C-alpha cells in the first residue's frame, strides 16, 4: 500500500509554482521518520481485534489531532474581527476572499454541504468500533494529544500573526489528506475481518474516513492555499517572508508523539491479551 508521503507529495507537486510549493517540497520529505511512526501505529491498530479500553484511548486522543473545524472557524472569526475593529487593510475584498476560502474548508464538517455533521460521523465510528461512547471521557486523553491540540490552537487562535494560523491550517489539510487516504483500506479490512459489526454498521463506521477521501481534503488544502494568498494581498504581507519548516516539523513531531504513545498502548494491550 502507498506510504503517507507517496499520497501527499504528488498533490504538492501538482501545485502551481509558488513559495509555498517550494517550502512544502523542501520540508515534507524530511519527515519520513515521523510518517513511519504514524503509519506503524495505524497498521498495529488494524492488525488484530483490540480490547475496548485500548480503542477508547485511541479514538479520544486521535480525535484531538484531526478535529480542526473549530480552529478554522476561529481563524475566520479573527479575520472578520479586523473589519469589526476598523483595522486598516489594503483590500477588504481580498480579506473576505480569505474568509470565504476558510469557510469552504468547513462546509462538510458543519453540514452546510451534505446532510450530517462530521462530528457525528466520527462519534458513530468511534462508538461502533469501541462498543460504547465512554471513549468521550477525558480520562482517555493522553498528554501528547493534549499538547498537540494546545500547540495547534495556539498557532491558529492566539498567535498575534494570523498568517501563522493560516499556514498551520494549510499544513494540517495536506497532511490530513494523506492520513485518510492511507487509513481507509486498513480500516475497511480491519472491520471486515476483526469486528462483529454488520455490513451496514461497518459502512456507517467507515463514513467519517470515506467522506474525507478523494477530492475532499485535497480541495480543503487548496482552499487553505487560497486563504493564505488572499490574506497576504489584503494586508500587504509577503508570503515569501514565511518559512514553513518550523510549522511542518513541529506539526509532524507532535503528531508522531501522539501516535507513538498510542502504539505503545496497543503493544501493552496485546501483551496482556496473550
Amino acid at each position: 500500500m502507498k506510504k503517507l508521503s507517496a499520497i501527499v507529495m504528488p498533490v504538492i507537486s501538482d501545485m502551481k509554482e509558488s513559495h509555498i510549493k517550494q517550502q512544502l517540497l523542501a520540508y515534507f520529505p524530511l519527515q519520513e521518520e515521523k510518517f513511519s511512526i504514524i503509519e506503524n501505529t495505524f497498521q498495529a491498530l488494524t492488525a488484530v481485534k483490540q480490547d475496548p479500553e485500548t480503542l477508547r484511548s485511541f479514538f479520544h486522543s486521535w480525535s484531538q489531532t484531526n478535529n480542526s473545524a473549530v480552529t478554522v472557524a476561529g481563524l475566520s472569526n479573527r479575520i472578520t474581527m479586523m473589519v469589526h475593529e476598523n483595522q486598516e487593510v489594503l483590500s477588504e475584498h481580498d480579506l473576505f476572499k480569505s474568509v470565504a476560502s476558510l469557510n469552504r474548508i468547513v462546509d462538510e464538517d458543519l453540514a452546510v454541504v451534505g446532510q450530517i455533521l462530521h462530528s457525528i460521523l466520527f462519534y458513530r465510528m468511534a462508538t461502533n468500533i469501541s462498543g460504547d461512547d465512554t471513549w468521550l471521557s477525558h480520562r482517555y486523553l493522553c498528554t501528547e494529544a493534549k499538547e498537540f491540540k494546545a500547540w495547534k490552537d495556539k498557532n491558529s487562535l492566539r498567535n498575534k500573526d494570523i498568517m501563522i494560523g493560516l499556514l498551520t491550517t494549510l499544513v494540517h489539510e495536506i497532511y490530513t489528506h494523506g492520513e485518510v487516504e492511507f487509513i481507509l483500506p486498513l480500516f475497511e479490512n480491519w472491520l471486515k475481518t476483526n469486528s462483529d459489526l454488520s455490513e451496514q454498521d461497518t459502512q456507517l463506521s467507515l463514513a467519517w474516513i470515506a467522506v474525507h477521501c478523494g477530492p475532499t481534503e485535497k480541495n480543503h488544502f487548496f482552499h487553505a492555499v487560497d486563504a493564505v494568498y488572499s490574506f497576504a494581498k489584503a494586508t500587504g504581507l509577503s508570503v515569501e517572508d514565511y518559512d514553513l519548516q518550523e510549522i511542518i516539523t513541529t506539526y509532524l513531531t507532535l503528531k508522531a508523539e501522539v501516535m507513538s504513545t498510542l502504539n505503545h498502548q496497543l503493544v501493552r494491550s496485546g501483551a496482556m491479551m496473550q
Side-chain angles (χ1 to χ4, degrees), residues 172-190:
H172 173 80
E173 296 301 334
I174 188 56
Y175 165 78
T176 302
H177 166 68
E179 180 173 286
V180 294
E181 295 284 352
F182 178 79
I183 67 174
L184 181 58
L186 291 174
F187 271 67
E188 285 178 327
N189 183 66
W190 180 43

Side-chain angles (χ1 to χ4, degrees), residues 23-263:
Q23 293 270 296
L24 295 173
L25 287 174
Y27 299 129
F28 261 96
L30 303 180
Q31 304 304 315
E32 280 297 340
E33 181 181 356
K34 282 90 171 184
F35 284 142
S36 292
I37 291 171
I38 297 165
E39 290 163 356
N40 290 340
T41 301
F42 282 117
Q43 288 167 338
L45 171 73
T46 57
V48 296
K49 187 178 180 70
Q50 304 290 349
D51 73 272
E53 279 294 287
T54 301
L55 291 169
R56 290 163 189 150
S57 295
F58 186 92
F59 281 111
H60 190 106
S61 292
W62 178 40
S63 74
Q64 298 306 295
T65 70
N66 55 42
N67 181 5
S68 64
V70 171
T71 51
V72 173
L75 266 174
S76 176
N77 185 279
R78 291 185 68 190
I79 294 173
T80 58
M81 186 65 75
M82 294 172 64
V83 177
H84 179 72
E85 293 178 345
N86 295 315
Q87 294 183 35
E88 186 174 348
V89 295
L90 298 178
S91 169
E92 194 169 291
H93 171 74
D94 287 301
L95 197 72
F96 278 107
K97 279 184 65 179
S98 181
V99 171
S101 293
L102 287 174
N103 287 349
R104 299 298 71 76
I105 295 173
V106 295
D107 283 338
E108 291 90 357
D109 292 320
L110 303 180
V112 175
V113 173
Q115 303 298 315
I116 188 169
L117 288 165
H118 281 189
S119 60
I120 294 176
L121 294 181
F122 192 94
Y123 170 86
R124 180 187 292 160
M125 172 179 66
T127 300
N128 284 351
I129 296 174
S130 65
D132 57 39
D133 64 4
T134 55
W135 65 271
L136 289 165
S137 172
H138 285 191
R139 73 176 181 273
Y140 294 115
L141 176 63
C142 72
T143 301
E144 291 79 7
K146 186 175 182 179
E147 291 172 350
F148 176 95
K149 187 70 163 55
W151 171 82
K152 189 163 172 289
D153 285 351
K154 179 181 178 181
N155 264 25
S156 295
L157 303 178
R158 287 179 283 283
N159 193 300
K160 290 183 179 180
D161 188 349
I162 291 176
M163 182 63 81
I164 295 297
L166 293 171
L167 293 170
T168 301
T169 297
L170 179 153
V171 170
H172 173 80
E173 296 301 334
I174 188 56
Y175 165 78
T176 302
H177 166 68
E179 180 173 286
V180 294
E181 295 284 352
F182 178 79
I183 67 174
L184 181 58
L186 291 174
F187 271 67
E188 285 178 327
N189 183 66
W190 180 43
L191 296 187
K192 289 175 182 176
T193 59
N194 289 294
S195 81
D196 299 322
L197 296 175
S198 67
E199 183 175 347
Q200 181 181 16
D201 283 340
T202 294
Q203 293 307 311
L204 290 172
S205 300
L206 291 169
W208 181 86
I209 304 172
V211 298
H212 288 94
C213 290
T216 304
E217 287 300 322
K218 193 185 302 184
N219 288 344
H220 289 178
F221 166 64
F222 286 108
H223 289 317
V225 173
D226 290 342
V228 166
Y229 281 103
S230 293
F231 186 77
K233 189 174 180 181
T235 59
L237 292 171
S238 173
V239 179
E240 286 71 21
D241 289 340
Y242 291 84
D243 190 328
L244 283 175
Q245 183 173 16
E246 182 178 357
I247 293 174
I248 292 171
T249 302
T250 303
Y251 181 97
L252 285 166
T253 296
L254 293 175
K255 174 79 178 191
E257 287 174 356
V258 176
M259 304 312 284
S260 179
T261 294
L262 296 178
N263 202 355

